[in-house]
């Protein structure tokens, strides 16, 4: 974290067990008045503890693995006042937002190139982490994220408009999209009430329903179907 507080003193012991900068909206010689000011003074890997109060929106840019922890979501409020975001994270990875409430925002959280690479094996620590967060009263989305960002949400509540998560930006051109109606596949037997369908590689496995004991294996490459007889006593409506 940052080497000293506004009064020149070193950071205080944090809620997470390390040393942290402290934010308090009540005047305090050893505190920052806003979270944004503490973020600006912090270093990657630092910690910021937020005391009870109401705070304006803020951004985190290029501060990898920064942890911001409120004392309780019922006591720490980020009030956007109807603005475009409550908390914005950009070009940063591994940051944690914990135990606070974001309210009255068009988009509570906005992610722009944040947590990039967090979908890769053994790189989950690059994801943005939301823990014990309450989002209340958004009008656009609880989380607006581009298609490169990654995010983990734990023990959190999102309350507001219907669009809880909104994706922005263009789809990766390397991603091959293929959509087709099943009725377009030649030789695919019809299904009935109680049927089920699951994909397994290049094969579709499904049951016809209506009490049938047959499982149909349909090859998507050869467009041929094979009937597999289920064991005695197993039907399409059974849990198997």
């Amino acid at each position: 974290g940052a080497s000293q507080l506004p009064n020149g003193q070193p950071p205080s012991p944090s809620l997470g067990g390390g040393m942290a900068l402290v934010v308090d909206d009540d005047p305090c010689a050893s505190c920052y008045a806003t979270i944004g000011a503490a973020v600006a003074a912090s270093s990657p890997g630092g910690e910021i503890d937020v005391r009870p109060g109401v705070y304006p929106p803020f951004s985190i840019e290029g501060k990898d693995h920064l942890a911001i922890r409120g004392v309780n979501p019922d006591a720490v409020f980020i009030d956007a006042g109807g603005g475009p975001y409550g908390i914005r994270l950009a070009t940063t990875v591994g940051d944690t937002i914990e135990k606070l409430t974001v309210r009255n925002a068009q988009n509570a959280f906005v992610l722009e190139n944040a947590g990039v690479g967090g979908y890769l094996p053994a790189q989950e620590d690059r994801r943005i982490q939301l823990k014990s967060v309450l989002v209340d009263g958004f009008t656009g989305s609880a989380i607006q994220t581009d298609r490169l960002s990654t995010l983990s949400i734990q023990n959190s509540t999102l309350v507001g408009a219907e669009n809880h998560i909104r994706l922005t930006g263009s789809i990766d051109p390397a991603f091959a999209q293929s959509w087709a109606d099943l009725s377009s596949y030649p030789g695919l037997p019809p299904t009935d009430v109680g049927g089920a369908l699951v994909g397994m590689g290049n094969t579709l496995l499904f049951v016809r329903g209506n009490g049938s004991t047959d499982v149909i294996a349909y090859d998507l490459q050869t467009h041929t179907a094979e009937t597999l007889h289920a064991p005695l006593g197993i039907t399409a409506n059974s849990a198997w």
Side-chain angles (χ1 to χ4, degrees):
S3 60
Q4 62 183 20
L5 294 169
N7 64 353
Q9 298 300 311
S12 303
S14 76
L15 298 173
M19 302 301 291
L21 304 181
V22 177
V23 178
D24 197 331
D25 65 350
D26 293 326
C28 173
S30 60
C31 302
Y32 290 90
T34 67
I35 301 173
V39 169
S42 69
S43 299
E47 297 182 38
I48 297 173
D49 287 345
V50 186
R51 293 178 179 174
V54 179
Y55 301 94
F58 63 92
S59 294
I60 302 172
E61 296 189 44
K63 303 277 186 170
D64 295 352
H65 302 286
L66 179 66
I68 299 177
R69 298 185 177 94
V71 294
N72 192 295
D74 290 333
V76 177
F77 302 92
I78 312 302
D79 195 319
Y85 62 82
I87 300 176
R88 172 179 167 268
L89 300 103
T91 59
T92 187
V93 300
D95 302 280
T96 298
I97 309 294
E98 187 172 359
K99 294 182 180 178
L100 51 74
T101 292
V102 180
R103 67 188 187 189
N104 300 327
Q106 294 176 28
N107 303 290
F109 288 88
V110 173
L111 276 64
E112 301 169 357
N113 292 326
V116 175
Y119 56 86
L120 297 172
Q123 294 198 42
E124 291 87 351
D125 65 337
R126 295 177 64 86
R127 298 174 185 169
I128 303 302
Q129 305 279 336
L130 303 185
K131 299 180 179 180
S132 301
V133 167
L134 171 61
V135 173
D136 186 22
F138 60 89
T139 57
S141 59
I143 299 166
Q144 177 178 292
T145 175
D146 59 24
R147 298 175 187 274
L148 295 177
S149 299
T150 63
L151 174 72
S152 174
I153 306 174
Q154 303 174 38
N155 302 321
S156 297
T157 302
L158 313 178
V159 181
E162 294 183 358
N163 299 319
H164 285 68
I165 298 179
R166 178 173 180 261
L167 291 176
T168 63
S170 302
I171 298 175
D172 186 342
F175 177 67
Q177 301 178 75
S178 178
W179 301 93
D181 191 303
L182 287 179
S183 63
S184 66
Y185 288 109
L188 189 64
T191 57
D192 205 334
V193 176
L197 174 70
V198 64
M200 186 176 69
N202 290 317
T203 302
L204 290 176
L205 297 176
F206 67 96
V207 290
R208 296 185 177 184
N210 198 25
S212 172
T213 61
D214 293 339
V215 178
I216 310 298
Y218 186 83
D219 191 308
L220 294 172
Q221 292 183 319
T222 63
H223 299 294
T224 57
E226 178 184 3
T227 300
L228 309 175
H229 296 285
L232 185 64
I234 300 296
T235 70
N237 297 319
S238 300
W240 60 281

